[in-house]
Amino acid sequence: MGVGVLLYELGIIITTIVIWFFMTRKGYKNVTRKFIILFLGVLLFEIISEPMWLNTGFDSWAYIYGDVTWVLTLGWVNAFMLAILAVDYFYRETSEKKKFFLYLLFISALVIPVEAIMISAGLRGYAEFLLETMRSGIVFPVLYLPVESIYAVPIFCSLILSFYKYVNYLFDKK
Amino acid sequence: MTLYELTVIVIAVIALLILRKFDKKILRNFVIVFIGILLLQYFTQALWLTVGLAKWSYLYQGVNWIITLGRTTMVIVSMAIIDFFFPKFSERARFRLYFIPILITGLIGEAISSSRGTIQYHPKLLESFSGITIFGSVPIEAIYYIPVFMLLAISFARYWQIILDNNQKTKKNDVRKKGGSK
């Protein structure tokens, strides 16, 4: 698992670099700032919900606080950024209100399968007391994820996305 | 209805009635903040235990709308105070200032709720805390927990307020354009 995890970690970091270069080359404004805001948004969320998750098996250099790993935070940032880029490209004429829900749909489509793979690989797990709140007993077929963990994704993504959009707005408004 | 629930509802109604004089969109803004806090409460419900409130106030497991209402009132009043006293300040400066009254009212609310046992922290959460308490039984970590929690809730609220305001402006412009072409 050691080499596999290292490749996974490097894959996430390389993906971030590729997206950053792509956005810079394509003329997107304030690319680094956007990445930092998104990273902070995800990190804040991970810190307040840290006791709920078990992120195990990552290399020691990847951890920053308890079970919080900056590599996984970067992975979330990648998913958000890819979803935002895709929606902004394919639905450029759509209103911001509608685009918000499309962002959530795209992020969920990217994140949920990765979450399922990480759980089956033992890199990610839910704390016992969190599992106790997932009482329906319904498991999503194919992915083998509790249904509660699937509808939790758009819920917390909506908060991170609003944070990202609003803080960027504050900077742009200066 | 117990005194706690009734007090929270009455304070929320009084706050709305007063703030309506200064902000015509206060009810809409209140609902948006309520949704933002509810989403956060739902997501972090495993970390907190809301105990002993009336059955009708529980929405889903430990998620209680009276607690949401109390926190929403706290946020909306804090934002109104800053907007009222610093109207000339930039949005970015006011955004930072919001967290001063939010932290003060948040700590007071947390002290009242945790001292009467209404809000309890999950042992797993307490394990990650230092064990130092302030104002009775409030963990010192609340000093950063409350602003971080509210940072996400306020960003959600302000973002949706801006979207809905812009939507309204666009509709008004469309109506004007259509009216002009006739």
Side-chain angles (χ1 to χ4, degrees), chain B:
Chain B
M1 192 185 287
T2 62
L3 188 65
Y4 183 87
E5 288 93 322
L6 189 66
T7 309
V8 173
I9 294 170
V10 169
I11 292 173
V13 172
I14 292 171
L16 274 172
L17 289 174
I18 295 171
L19 295 176
R20 202 175 57 167
K21 292 181 180 171
F22 305 98
D23 182 2
K24 284 179 184 171
K25 292 174 184 166
I26 193 69
L27 191 62
R28 183 204 71 179
N29 294 344
F30 194 92
V31 171
I32 297 172
V33 176
F34 187 92
I35 293 170
I37 293 177
L38 193 64
L39 292 176
L40 264 167
Q41 277 186 205
Y42 170 79
F43 189 74
T44 57
Q45 57 165 313
L47 298 171
W48 330 97
L49 305 168
T50 311
V51 184
L53 293 180
K55 247 185 179 175
W56 49 261
S57 62
Y58 288 90
L59 292 172
Y60 174 79
Q61 295 184 20
V63 182
N64 186 290
W65 68 265
I66 289 290
I67 300 291
T68 319
L69 193 69
R71 286 179 175 158
T72 305
T73 309
M74 186 187 96
V75 169
I76 218 90
V77 169
S78 300
M79 289 170 82
I81 289 170
I82 298 300
D83 290 342
F84 182 78
F85 286 107
F86 305 99
K88 299 263 162 84
F89 278 34
S90 69
E91 171 137 10
R92 211 200 302 187
R94 276 185 287 138
F95 180 68
R96 288 193 200 117
L97 289 174
Y98 289 152
F99 293 94
I100 298 170
I102 282 176
L103 182 61
I104 295 166
T105 51
L107 286 173
I108 294 168
E110 208 69 15
I112 295 167
S113 301
S114 60
S115 68
R116 66 189 300 279
T118 305
I119 292 178
Q120 295 173 14
Y121 309 101
H122 195 281
K124 279 283 167 194
L125 182 64
L126 289 173
E127 268 175 32
S128 66
F129 286 170
S130 65
I132 304 165
T133 55
I134 48 169
F135 307 122
S137 54
V138 180
I140 198 162
E141 286 76 7
I143 290 174
Y144 74 80
Y145 241 84
I146 292 171
V148 168
F149 195 88
M150 290 307 172
L151 181 65
L152 295 164
I154 292 178
S155 304
F156 177 87
R158 284 297 300 134
Y159 174 66
W160 275 98
Q161 285 165 11
I162 292 163
I163 284 189
L164 295 176
D165 284 344
N166 286 345
N167 218 30
Q168 220 171 10
K169 274 182 206 164
T170 314
K171 275 182 187 167
K172 272 184 188 170
N173 285 342
D174 286 349
V175 169
R176 259 183 224 145
K177 274 180 194 169
K178 279 178 188 169
S181 63
K182 273 180 185 173

Side-chain angles (χ1 to χ4, degrees), chain A residues 13-28:
Chain A
I13 296 166
I14 290 165
T15 307
T16 308
I17 296 167
V18 169
I19 299 170
W20 186 87
F21 266 109
F22 169 80
M23 289 176 71
T24 313
R25 283 279 168 92
K26 289 283 174 185
Y28 284 85

